[in-house]
Amino acid sequence: MMERTASIKRDTKETRIALTLSLDGTGSADIDTGIGFFDHMLDGFARHGFFDLSVKVDGDLFVDGHHTVEDTGIVLGQAIAEAVGDKKGIKRYGYFLLPMDDALVVCAVDLCGRPYFNFDYEFNVPMIGGLDTQLIREFFYAVSYSAGMNLHIKVLDGINGHHVAEAMFKAFSKALDMAVSNEPRLDGVLSTKGSL
């Protein structure tokens, strides 16, 4: 299998982002978004999915965290799409049920090329550290649409917002790792249409 990596840069009046992703890494992460809890979530995403991820963001945090978080989601989604390439030989689907103390989160992905997003949780706190909890949904929405993936995140149980958020990011990483993994029995792409 060819090396599956992508490096994306995005410069706007609101954010400057440089992101590099390897789908076949060891979980190495170098993250600096300016939002500590968001850095922690992206670090967990990299580590538990065995992705190598470097993210540097200079965003307009004097406004709030919205542009930083959403634009990072856009760029990560673009990197996933570029790194996975033509999708030949991958499992395409991935899912994971992740427990984290009181939290239990299920995530399912389909790298079908068609974006769809389903998220069924409202946090009971407005902030976790320096991260506005409304932006967690915005991040995953941006990832799903820029990557062209179906992404479903369901919270089955959970009280502590930190645990729920962390379970979401880790469940997503494990589901994505499954979806991008090689299927040795497959010749081409996993689709009755012959393309994705």
Side-chain angles (χ1 to χ4, degrees), residues 101-139:
D101 297 334
D102 55 288
L104 185 63
V105 174
V106 63
C107 178
V109 302
D110 176 8
L111 298 177
C112 59
R114 298 181 308 276
Y116 187 85
F117 181 58
N118 192 338
F119 185 91
D120 76 338
Y121 188 74
E122 290 188 24
F123 284 89
N124 59 10
V125 292
M127 302 288 290
I128 304 173
L131 180 64
D132 179 346
T133 55
Q134 293 182 94
L135 301 182
I136 295 171
R137 183 190 188 283
E138 297 303 316
F139 169 78

PDB file of all heavy atoms in Angstrom, residues 101-139:
ATOM      1  N   ASP A 101     -15.362   6.012  31.500  1.00  0.00           N
ATOM      2  CA  ASP A 101     -15.989   6.241  32.798  1.00  0.00           C
ATOM      3  C   ASP A 101     -17.513   6.252  32.637  1.00  0.00           C
ATOM      4  O   ASP A 101     -18.086   5.272  32.200  1.00  0.00           O
ATOM      5  CB  ASP A 101     -15.445   7.511  33.437  1.00  0.00           C
ATOM      6  CG  ASP A 101     -13.947   7.417  33.720  1.00  0.00           C
ATOM      7  OD1 ASP A 101     -13.452   6.293  33.894  1.00  0.00           O
ATOM      8  OD2 ASP A 101     -13.270   8.446  33.745  1.00  0.00           O
ATOM      9  N   ASP A 102     -18.178   7.363  32.923  1.00  0.00           N
ATOM     10  CA  ASP A 102     -19.632   7.433  32.829  1.00  0.00           C
ATOM     11  C   ASP A 102     -20.142   7.526  31.402  1.00  0.00           C
ATOM     12  O   ASP A 102     -21.331   7.330  31.144  1.00  0.00           O
ATOM     13  CB  ASP A 102     -20.142   8.656  33.605  1.00  0.00           C
ATOM     14  CG  ASP A 102     -19.472   9.933  33.120  1.00  0.00           C
ATOM     15  OD1 ASP A 102     -18.273  10.123  33.400  1.00  0.00           O
ATOM     16  OD2 ASP A 102     -20.135  10.745  32.455  1.00  0.00           O
ATOM     17  N   ALA A 103     -19.255   7.843  30.459  1.00  0.00           N
ATOM     18  CA  ALA A 103     -19.666   8.073  29.064  1.00  0.00           C
ATOM     19  C   ALA A 103     -19.591   6.791  28.246  1.00  0.00           C
ATOM     20  O   ALA A 103     -18.686   5.975  28.422  1.00  0.00           O
ATOM     21  CB  ALA A 103     -18.784   9.133  28.428  1.00  0.00           C
ATOM     22  N   LEU A 104     -20.554   6.647  27.348  1.00  0.00           N
ATOM     23  CA  LEU A 104     -20.563   5.548  26.387  1.00  0.00           C
ATOM     24  C   LEU A 104     -21.010   6.124  25.059  1.00  0.00           C
ATOM     25  O   LEU A 104     -22.139   6.600  24.923  1.00  0.00           O
ATOM     26  CB  LEU A 104     -21.518   4.439  26.847  1.00  0.00           C
ATOM     27  CG  LEU A 104     -21.531   3.166  25.993  1.00  0.00           C
ATOM     28  CD1 LEU A 104     -20.170   2.482  26.017  1.00  0.00           C
ATOM     29  CD2 LEU A 104     -22.615   2.213  26.491  1.00  0.00           C
ATOM     30  N   VAL A 105     -20.113   6.095  24.086  1.00  0.00           N
ATOM     31  CA  VAL A 105     -20.358   6.758  22.802  1.00  0.00           C
ATOM     32  C   VAL A 105     -20.120   5.772  21.672  1.00  0.00           C
ATOM     33  O   VAL A 105     -19.124   5.041  21.663  1.00  0.00           O
ATOM     34  CB  VAL A 105     -19.434   7.985  22.630  1.00  0.00           C
ATOM     35  CG1 VAL A 105     -19.585   8.593  21.241  1.00  0.00           C
ATOM     36  CG2 VAL A 105     -19.740   9.037  23.692  1.00  0.00           C
ATOM     37  N   VAL A 106     -21.028   5.771  20.709  1.00  0.00           N
ATOM     38  CA  VAL A 106     -20.847   4.977  19.503  1.00  0.00           C
ATOM     39  C   VAL A 106     -20.627   5.923  18.326  1.00  0.00           C
ATOM     40  O   VAL A 106     -21.260   6.979  18.235  1.00  0.00           O
ATOM     41  CB  VAL A 106     -22.049   4.035  19.243  1.00  0.00           C
ATOM     42  CG1 VAL A 106     -23.335   4.802  18.989  1.00  0.00           C
ATOM     43  CG2 VAL A 106     -21.761   3.074  18.101  1.00  0.00           C
ATOM     44  N   CYS A 107     -19.699   5.544  17.467  1.00  0.00           N
ATOM     45  CA  CYS A 107     -19.435   6.308  16.248  1.00  0.00           C
ATOM     46  C   CYS A 107     -19.385   5.345  15.077  1.00  0.00           C
ATOM     47  O   CYS A 107     -18.809   4.252  15.180  1.00  0.00           O
ATOM     48  CB  CYS A 107     -18.104   7.051  16.370  1.00  0.00           C
ATOM     49  SG  CYS A 107     -17.676   7.986  14.870  1.00  0.00           S
ATOM     50  N   ALA A 108     -19.989   5.746  13.963  1.00  0.00           N
ATOM     51  CA  ALA A 108     -19.945   4.961  12.735  1.00  0.00           C
ATOM     52  C   ALA A 108     -19.636   5.883  11.565  1.00  0.00           C
ATOM     53  O   ALA A 108     -20.148   7.003  11.497  1.00  0.00           O
ATOM     54  CB  ALA A 108     -21.277   4.245  12.509  1.00  0.00           C
ATOM     55  N   VAL A 109     -18.771   5.411  10.665  1.00  0.00           N
ATOM     56  CA  VAL A 109     -18.413   6.197   9.482  1.00  0.00           C
ATOM     57  C   VAL A 109     -18.543   5.339   8.231  1.00  0.00           C
ATOM     58  O   VAL A 109     -18.385   4.122   8.271  1.00  0.00           O
ATOM     59  CB  VAL A 109     -16.982   6.770   9.573  1.00  0.00           C
ATOM     60  CG1 VAL A 109     -16.806   7.644  10.791  1.00  0.00           C
ATOM     61  CG2 VAL A 109     -15.931   5.681   9.544  1.00  0.00           C
ATOM     62  N   ASP A 110     -18.828   6.017   7.129  1.00  0.00           N
ATOM     63  CA  ASP A 110     -18.840   5.415   5.803  1.00  0.00           C
ATOM     64  C   ASP A 110     -18.116   6.381   4.880  1.00  0.00           C
ATOM     65  O   ASP A 110     -18.570   7.509   4.670  1.00  0.00           O
ATOM     66  CB  ASP A 110     -20.279   5.178   5.324  1.00  0.00           C
ATOM     67  CG  ASP A 110     -20.364   4.644   3.904  1.00  0.00           C
ATOM     68  OD1 ASP A 110     -19.317   4.299   3.314  1.00  0.00           O
ATOM     69  OD2 ASP A 110     -21.491   4.588   3.361  1.00  0.00           O
ATOM     70  N   LEU A 111     -16.996   5.948   4.341  1.00  0.00           N
ATOM     71  CA  LEU A 111     -16.214   6.794   3.428  1.00  0.00           C
ATOM     72  C   LEU A 111     -16.743   6.648   2.005  1.00  0.00           C
ATOM     73  O   LEU A 111     -16.049   6.235   1.096  1.00  0.00           O
ATOM     74  CB  LEU A 111     -14.731   6.409   3.513  1.00  0.00           C
ATOM     75  CG  LEU A 111     -14.097   6.601   4.879  1.00  0.00           C
ATOM     76  CD1 LEU A 111     -12.649   6.123   4.863  1.00  0.00           C
ATOM     77  CD2 LEU A 111     -14.176   8.051   5.323  1.00  0.00           C
ATOM     78  N   CYS A 112     -17.991   7.025   1.838  1.00  0.00           N
ATOM     79  CA  CYS A 112     -18.713   6.795   0.587  1.00  0.00           C
ATOM     80  C   CYS A 112     -18.580   7.939  -0.412  1.00  0.00           C
ATOM     81  O   CYS A 112     -19.008   7.812  -1.549  1.00  0.00           O
ATOM     82  CB  CYS A 112     -20.191   6.560   0.894  1.00  0.00           C
ATOM     83  SG  CYS A 112     -20.958   7.952   1.757  1.00  0.00           S
ATOM     84  N   GLY A 113     -18.040   9.072   0.023  1.00  0.00           N
ATOM     85  CA  GLY A 113     -17.962  10.235  -0.863  1.00  0.00           C
ATOM     86  C   GLY A 113     -19.170  11.143  -0.769  1.00  0.00           C
ATOM     87  O   GLY A 113     -19.205  12.195  -1.398  1.00  0.00           O
ATOM     88  N   ARG A 114     -20.161  10.745   0.018  1.00  0.00           N
ATOM     89  CA  ARG A 114     -21.368  11.549   0.198  1.00  0.00           C
ATOM     90  C   ARG A 114     -21.450  12.002   1.647  1.00  0.00           C
ATOM     91  O   ARG A 114     -21.547  11.162   2.542  1.00  0.00           O
ATOM     92  CB  ARG A 114     -22.620  10.744  -0.155  1.00  0.00           C
ATOM     93  CG  ARG A 114     -22.666  10.285  -1.587  1.00  0.00           C
ATOM     94  CD  ARG A 114     -23.947   9.520  -1.893  1.00  0.00           C
ATOM     95  NE  ARG A 114     -24.199   8.430  -0.953  1.00  0.00           N
ATOM     96  CZ  ARG A 114     -23.669   7.214  -1.053  1.00  0.00           C
ATOM     97  NH1 ARG A 114     -22.824   6.938  -2.032  1.00  0.00           N
ATOM     98  NH2 ARG A 114     -23.969   6.282  -0.167  1.00  0.00           N
ATOM     99  N   PRO A 115     -21.439  13.299   1.902  1.00  0.00           N
ATOM    100  CA  PRO A 115     -21.478  13.755   3.289  1.00  0.00           C
ATOM    101  C   PRO A 115     -22.863  13.616   3.910  1.00  0.00           C
ATOM    102  O   PRO A 115     -23.870  13.900   3.276  1.00  0.00           O
ATOM    103  CB  PRO A 115     -21.085  15.234   3.182  1.00  0.00           C
ATOM    104  CG  PRO A 115     -21.490  15.634   1.804  1.00  0.00           C
ATOM    105  CD  PRO A 115     -21.301  14.415   0.951  1.00  0.00           C
ATOM    106  N   TYR A 116     -22.862  13.137   5.128  1.00  0.00           N
ATOM    107  CA  TYR A 116     -24.072  13.126   5.943  1.00  0.00           C
ATOM    108  C   TYR A 116     -23.614  13.101   7.390  1.00  0.00           C
ATOM    109  O   TYR A 116     -22.671  12.386   7.736  1.00  0.00           O
ATOM    110  CB  TYR A 116     -24.961  11.910   5.659  1.00  0.00           C
ATOM    111  CG  TYR A 116     -26.285  11.989   6.389  1.00  0.00           C
ATOM    112  CD1 TYR A 116     -27.347  12.695   5.837  1.00  0.00           C
ATOM    113  CD2 TYR A 116     -26.444  11.404   7.638  1.00  0.00           C
ATOM    114  CE1 TYR A 116     -28.559  12.803   6.520  1.00  0.00           C
ATOM    115  CE2 TYR A 116     -27.640  11.511   8.325  1.00  0.00           C
ATOM    116  CZ  TYR A 116     -28.689  12.205   7.763  1.00  0.00           C
ATOM    117  OH  TYR A 116     -29.874  12.316   8.451  1.00  0.00           O
ATOM    118  N   PHE A 117     -24.288  13.872   8.245  1.00  0.00           N
ATOM    119  CA  PHE A 117     -23.856  13.993   9.624  1.00  0.00           C
ATOM    120  C   PHE A 117     -25.038  13.855  10.561  1.00  0.00           C
ATOM    121  O   PHE A 117     -26.080  14.477  10.360  1.00  0.00           O
ATOM    122  CB  PHE A 117     -23.176  15.349   9.837  1.00  0.00           C
ATOM    123  CG  PHE A 117     -22.668  15.571  11.227  1.00  0.00           C
ATOM    124  CD1 PHE A 117     -21.741  14.709  11.795  1.00  0.00           C
ATOM    125  CD2 PHE A 117     -23.110  16.644  11.981  1.00  0.00           C
ATOM    126  CE1 PHE A 117     -21.264  14.909  13.081  1.00  0.00           C
ATOM    127  CE2 PHE A 117     -22.636  16.859  13.266  1.00  0.00           C
ATOM    128  CZ  PHE A 117     -21.710  15.985  13.818  1.00  0.00           C
ATOM    129  N   ASN A 118     -24.873  13.022  11.595  1.00  0.00           N
ATOM    130  CA  ASN A 118     -25.908  12.818  12.600  1.00  0.00           C
ATOM    131  C   ASN A 118     -25.252  12.877  13.977  1.00  0.00           C
ATOM    132  O   ASN A 118     -24.325  12.114  14.268  1.00  0.00           O
ATOM    133  CB  ASN A 118     -26.582  11.462  12.384  1.00  0.00           C
ATOM    134  CG  ASN A 118     -27.844  11.303  13.201  1.00  0.00           C
ATOM    135  OD1 ASN A 118     -28.037  11.972  14.204  1.00  0.00           O
ATOM    136  ND2 ASN A 118     -28.703  10.386  12.783  1.00  0.00           N
ATOM    137  N   PHE A 119     -25.729  13.787  14.807  1.00  0.00           N
ATOM    138  CA  PHE A 119     -25.137  14.048  16.124  1.00  0.00           C
ATOM    139  C   PHE A 119     -26.291  14.319  17.071  1.00  0.00           C
ATOM    140  O   PHE A 119     -27.081  15.232  16.837  1.00  0.00           O
ATOM    141  CB  PHE A 119     -24.223  15.276  16.002  1.00  0.00           C
ATOM    142  CG  PHE A 119     -23.433  15.638  17.227  1.00  0.00           C
ATOM    143  CD1 PHE A 119     -22.169  15.117  17.425  1.00  0.00           C
ATOM    144  CD2 PHE A 119     -23.929  16.542  18.156  1.00  0.00           C
ATOM    145  CE1 PHE A 119     -21.412  15.484  18.529  1.00  0.00           C
ATOM    146  CE2 PHE A 119     -23.185  16.907  19.268  1.00  0.00           C
ATOM    147  CZ  PHE A 119     -21.916  16.381  19.456  1.00  0.00           C
ATOM    148  N   ASP A 120     -26.392  13.549  18.141  1.00  0.00           N
ATOM    149  CA  ASP A 120     -27.625  13.593  18.930  1.00  0.00           C
ATOM    150  C   ASP A 120     -27.449  14.071  20.371  1.00  0.00           C
ATOM    151  O   ASP A 120     -28.273  13.763  21.226  1.00  0.00           O
ATOM    152  CB  ASP A 120     -28.276  12.201  18.951  1.00  0.00           C
ATOM    153  CG  ASP A 120     -27.554  11.231  19.893  1.00  0.00           C
ATOM    154  OD1 ASP A 120     -26.369  11.451  20.193  1.00  0.00           O
ATOM    155  OD2 ASP A 120     -28.200  10.270  20.341  1.00  0.00           O
ATOM    156  N   TYR A 121     -26.410  14.840  20.644  1.00  0.00           N
ATOM    157  CA  TYR A 121     -26.116  15.153  22.037  1.00  0.00           C
ATOM    158  C   TYR A 121     -26.023  16.653  22.269  1.00  0.00           C
ATOM    159  O   TYR A 121     -25.506  17.384  21.426  1.00  0.00           O
ATOM    160  CB  TYR A 121     -24.797  14.500  22.445  1.00  0.00           C
ATOM    161  CG  TYR A 121     -24.502  14.599  23.925  1.00  0.00           C
ATOM    162  CD1 TYR A 121     -25.188  13.824  24.846  1.00  0.00           C
ATOM    163  CD2 TYR A 121     -23.522  15.467  24.398  1.00  0.00           C
ATOM    164  CE1 TYR A 121     -24.918  13.909  26.212  1.00  0.00           C
ATOM    165  CE2 TYR A 121     -23.242  15.553  25.758  1.00  0.00           C
ATOM    166  CZ  TYR A 121     -23.943  14.771  26.654  1.00  0.00           C
ATOM    167  OH  TYR A 121     -23.684  14.846  27.989  1.00  0.00           O
ATOM    168  N   GLU A 122     -26.543  17.107  23.408  1.00  0.00           N
ATOM    169  CA  GLU A 122     -26.363  18.490  23.845  1.00  0.00           C
ATOM    170  C   GLU A 122     -25.625  18.476  25.177  1.00  0.00           C
ATOM    171  O   GLU A 122     -26.081  17.845  26.130  1.00  0.00           O
ATOM    172  CB  GLU A 122     -27.709  19.201  23.994  1.00  0.00           C
ATOM    173  CG  GLU A 122     -28.395  19.481  22.668  1.00  0.00           C
ATOM    174  CD  GLU A 122     -29.623  20.355  22.837  1.00  0.00           C
ATOM    175  OE1 GLU A 122     -29.702  21.092  23.841  1.00  0.00           O
ATOM    176  OE2 GLU A 122     -30.491  20.279  21.959  1.00  0.00           O
ATOM    177  N   PHE A 123     -24.500  19.156  25.203  1.00  0.00           N
ATOM    178  CA  PHE A 123     -23.700  19.195  26.426  1.00  0.00           C
ATOM    179  C   PHE A 123     -24.441  19.972  27.513  1.00  0.00           C
ATOM    180  O   PHE A 123     -25.138  20.943  27.230  1.00  0.00           O
ATOM    181  CB  PHE A 123     -22.335  19.820  26.140  1.00  0.00           C
ATOM    182  CG  PHE A 123     -21.394  18.896  25.429  1.00  0.00           C
ATOM    183  CD1 PHE A 123     -21.368  18.840  24.046  1.00  0.00           C
ATOM    184  CD2 PHE A 123     -20.549  18.067  26.148  1.00  0.00           C
ATOM    185  CE1 PHE A 123     -20.515  17.983  23.380  1.00  0.00           C
ATOM    186  CE2 PHE A 123     -19.683  17.198  25.502  1.00  0.00           C
ATOM    187  CZ  PHE A 123     -19.670  17.153  24.116  1.00  0.00           C
ATOM    188  N   ASN A 124     -24.227  19.555  28.748  1.00  0.00           N
ATOM    189  CA  ASN A 124     -24.909  20.209  29.873  1.00  0.00           C
ATOM    190  C   ASN A 124     -24.062  21.318  30.503  1.00  0.00           C
ATOM    191  O   ASN A 124     -24.433  21.881  31.526  1.00  0.00           O
ATOM    192  CB  ASN A 124     -25.321  19.176  30.929  1.00  0.00           C
ATOM    193  CG  ASN A 124     -24.137  18.396  31.483  1.00  0.00           C
ATOM    194  OD1 ASN A 124     -22.987  18.734  31.232  1.00  0.00           O
ATOM    195  ND2 ASN A 124     -24.429  17.330  32.217  1.00  0.00           N
ATOM    196  N   VAL A 125     -22.914  21.608  29.885  1.00  0.00           N
ATOM    197  CA  VAL A 125     -22.060  22.719  30.310  1.00  0.00           C
ATOM    198  C   VAL A 125     -21.683  23.534  29.073  1.00  0.00           C
ATOM    199  O   VAL A 125     -21.522  22.982  27.988  1.00  0.00           O
ATOM    200  CB  VAL A 125     -20.787  22.229  31.039  1.00  0.00           C
ATOM    201  CG1 VAL A 125     -21.134  21.602  32.375  1.00  0.00           C
ATOM    202  CG2 VAL A 125     -19.991  21.268  30.174  1.00  0.00           C
ATOM    203  N   PRO A 126     -21.544  24.863  29.202  1.00  0.00           N
ATOM    204  CA  PRO A 126     -21.222  25.671  28.021  1.00  0.00           C
ATOM    205  C   PRO A 126     -19.769  25.580  27.585  1.00  0.00           C
ATOM    206  O   PRO A 126     -19.463  25.745  26.400  1.00  0.00           O
ATOM    207  CB  PRO A 126     -21.565  27.096  28.454  1.00  0.00           C
ATOM    208  CG  PRO A 126     -21.446  27.081  29.955  1.00  0.00           C
ATOM    209  CD  PRO A 126     -21.839  25.697  30.376  1.00  0.00           C
ATOM    210  N   MET A 127     -18.856  25.319  28.534  1.00  0.00           N
ATOM    211  CA  MET A 127     -17.434  25.288  28.226  1.00  0.00           C
ATOM    212  C   MET A 127     -16.790  24.071  28.889  1.00  0.00           C
ATOM    213  O   MET A 127     -17.187  23.660  29.981  1.00  0.00           O
ATOM    214  CB  MET A 127     -16.729  26.549  28.753  1.00  0.00           C
ATOM    215  CG  MET A 127     -17.250  27.862  28.232  1.00  0.00           C
ATOM    216  SD  MET A 127     -16.841  28.184  26.497  1.00  0.00           S
ATOM    217  CE  MET A 127     -15.064  28.454  26.606  1.00  0.00           C
ATOM    218  N   ILE A 128     -15.788  23.514  28.199  1.00  0.00           N
ATOM    219  CA  ILE A 128     -14.898  22.527  28.808  1.00  0.00           C
ATOM    220  C   ILE A 128     -13.500  23.104  28.628  1.00  0.00           C
ATOM    221  O   ILE A 128     -12.999  23.198  27.506  1.00  0.00           O
ATOM    222  CB  ILE A 128     -15.007  21.140  28.161  1.00  0.00           C
ATOM    223  CG1 ILE A 128     -16.442  20.635  28.189  1.00  0.00           C
ATOM    224  CG2 ILE A 128     -14.085  20.156  28.876  1.00  0.00           C
ATOM    225  CD1 ILE A 128     -16.656  19.345  27.420  1.00  0.00           C
ATOM    226  N   GLY A 129     -12.887  23.520  29.729  1.00  0.00           N
ATOM    227  CA  GLY A 129     -11.647  24.270  29.612  1.00  0.00           C
ATOM    228  C   GLY A 129     -11.914  25.518  28.789  1.00  0.00           C
ATOM    229  O   GLY A 129     -12.844  26.269  29.057  1.00  0.00           O
ATOM    230  N   GLY A 130     -11.140  25.724  27.741  1.00  0.00           N
ATOM    231  CA  GLY A 130     -11.321  26.885  26.876  1.00  0.00           C
ATOM    232  C   GLY A 130     -12.132  26.608  25.630  1.00  0.00           C
ATOM    233  O   GLY A 130     -12.156  27.427  24.710  1.00  0.00           O
ATOM    234  N   LEU A 131     -12.797  25.452  25.571  1.00  0.00           N
ATOM    235  CA  LEU A 131     -13.552  25.072  24.374  1.00  0.00           C
ATOM    236  C   LEU A 131     -15.052  25.213  24.609  1.00  0.00           C
ATOM    237  O   LEU A 131     -15.614  24.588  25.513  1.00  0.00           O
ATOM    238  CB  LEU A 131     -13.232  23.628  23.975  1.00  0.00           C
ATOM    239  CG  LEU A 131     -13.957  23.096  22.740  1.00  0.00           C
ATOM    240  CD1 LEU A 131     -13.559  23.875  21.481  1.00  0.00           C
ATOM    241  CD2 LEU A 131     -13.677  21.608  22.543  1.00  0.00           C
ATOM    242  N   ASP A 132     -15.695  26.019  23.784  1.00  0.00           N
ATOM    243  CA  ASP A 132     -17.145  26.139  23.763  1.00  0.00           C
ATOM    244  C   ASP A 132     -17.714  24.804  23.293  1.00  0.00           C
ATOM    245  O   ASP A 132     -17.394  24.334  22.197  1.00  0.00           O
ATOM    246  CB  ASP A 132     -17.524  27.273  22.802  1.00  0.00           C
ATOM    247  CG  ASP A 132     -19.020  27.499  22.663  1.00  0.00           C
ATOM    248  OD1 ASP A 132     -19.812  26.645  23.088  1.00  0.00           O
ATOM    249  OD2 ASP A 132     -19.390  28.543  22.093  1.00  0.00           O
ATOM    250  N   THR A 133     -18.544  24.173  24.101  1.00  0.00           N
ATOM    251  CA  THR A 133     -19.029  22.833  23.765  1.00  0.00           C
ATOM    252  C   THR A 133     -19.899  22.805  22.511  1.00  0.00           C
ATOM    253  O   THR A 133     -20.012  21.767  21.866  1.00  0.00           O
ATOM    254  CB  THR A 133     -19.810  22.214  24.945  1.00  0.00           C
ATOM    255  OG1 THR A 133     -20.869  23.093  25.344  1.00  0.00           O
ATOM    256  CG2 THR A 133     -18.888  21.963  26.123  1.00  0.00           C
ATOM    257  N   GLN A 134     -20.511  23.939  22.134  1.00  0.00           N
ATOM    258  CA  GLN A 134     -21.263  23.986  20.878  1.00  0.00           C
ATOM    259  C   GLN A 134     -20.372  23.691  19.674  1.00  0.00           C
ATOM    260  O   GLN A 134     -20.851  23.233  18.631  1.00  0.00           O
ATOM    261  CB  GLN A 134     -21.896  25.361  20.676  1.00  0.00           C
ATOM    262  CG  GLN A 134     -22.975  25.735  21.653  1.00  0.00           C
ATOM    263  CD  GLN A 134     -23.565  27.089  21.319  1.00  0.00           C
ATOM    264  OE1 GLN A 134     -24.563  27.172  20.627  1.00  0.00           O
ATOM    265  NE2 GLN A 134     -22.919  28.146  21.800  1.00  0.00           N
ATOM    266  N   LEU A 135     -19.086  23.975  19.814  1.00  0.00           N
ATOM    267  CA  LEU A 135     -18.161  23.844  18.689  1.00  0.00           C
ATOM    268  C   LEU A 135     -17.752  22.405  18.423  1.00  0.00           C
ATOM    269  O   LEU A 135     -17.223  22.097  17.353  1.00  0.00           O
ATOM    270  CB  LEU A 135     -16.925  24.712  18.927  1.00  0.00           C
ATOM    271  CG  LEU A 135     -17.213  26.203  19.099  1.00  0.00           C
ATOM    272  CD1 LEU A 135     -15.919  26.978  19.293  1.00  0.00           C
ATOM    273  CD2 LEU A 135     -18.005  26.745  17.910  1.00  0.00           C
ATOM    274  N   ILE A 136     -18.014  21.506  19.355  1.00  0.00           N
ATOM    275  CA  ILE A 136     -17.697  20.094  19.117  1.00  0.00           C
ATOM    276  C   ILE A 136     -18.550  19.560  17.975  1.00  0.00           C
ATOM    277  O   ILE A 136     -18.049  18.890  17.066  1.00  0.00           O
ATOM    278  CB  ILE A 136     -17.870  19.284  20.412  1.00  0.00           C
ATOM    279  CG1 ILE A 136     -16.829  19.751  21.446  1.00  0.00           C
ATOM    280  CG2 ILE A 136     -17.761  17.789  20.148  1.00  0.00           C
ATOM    281  CD1 ILE A 136     -17.023  19.194  22.826  1.00  0.00           C
ATOM    282  N   ARG A 137     -19.837  19.878  18.005  1.00  0.00           N
ATOM    283  CA  ARG A 137     -20.696  19.487  16.890  1.00  0.00           C
ATOM    284  C   ARG A 137     -20.233  20.132  15.591  1.00  0.00           C
ATOM    285  O   ARG A 137     -20.189  19.487  14.538  1.00  0.00           O
ATOM    286  CB  ARG A 137     -22.156  19.888  17.163  1.00  0.00           C
ATOM    287  CG  ARG A 137     -23.093  19.442  16.066  1.00  0.00           C
ATOM    288  CD  ARG A 137     -24.501  20.035  16.189  1.00  0.00           C
ATOM    289  NE  ARG A 137     -25.403  19.428  15.232  1.00  0.00           N
ATOM    290  CZ  ARG A 137     -25.428  19.726  13.929  1.00  0.00           C
ATOM    291  NH1 ARG A 137     -24.593  20.619  13.416  1.00  0.00           N
ATOM    292  NH2 ARG A 137     -26.279  19.108  13.121  1.00  0.00           N
ATOM    293  N   GLU A 138     -19.871  21.417  15.628  1.00  0.00           N
ATOM    294  CA  GLU A 138     -19.420  22.127  14.429  1.00  0.00           C
ATOM    295  C   GLU A 138     -18.161  21.490  13.852  1.00  0.00           C
ATOM    296  O   GLU A 138     -18.001  21.404  12.630  1.00  0.00           O
ATOM    297  CB  GLU A 138     -19.162  23.601  14.741  1.00  0.00           C
ATOM    298  CG  GLU A 138     -20.392  24.375  15.176  1.00  0.00           C
ATOM    299  CD  GLU A 138     -21.511  24.333  14.158  1.00  0.00           C
ATOM    300  OE1 GLU A 138     -21.231  24.490  12.956  1.00  0.00           O
ATOM    301  OE2 GLU A 138     -22.667  24.121  14.564  1.00  0.00           O
ATOM    302  N   PHE A 139     -17.263  21.049  14.714  1.00  0.00           N
ATOM    303  CA  PHE A 139     -16.036  20.396  14.256  1.00  0.00           C
ATOM    304  C   PHE A 139     -16.361  19.126  13.477  1.00  0.00           C
ATOM    305  O   PHE A 139     -15.894  18.931  12.352  1.00  0.00           O
ATOM    306  CB  PHE A 139     -15.139  20.067  15.452  1.00  0.00           C
ATOM    307  CG  PHE A 139     -13.986  19.173  15.102  1.00  0.00           C
ATOM    308  CD1 PHE A 139     -12.866  19.687  14.479  1.00  0.00           C
ATOM    309  CD2 PHE A 139     -14.031  17.814  15.392  1.00  0.00           C
ATOM    310  CE1 PHE A 139     -11.800  18.864  14.131  1.00  0.00           C
ATOM    311  CE2 PHE A 139     -12.974  16.984  15.059  1.00  0.00           C
ATOM    312  CZ  PHE A 139     -11.853  17.510  14.429  1.00  0.00           C
TER     313      PHE A 139
END
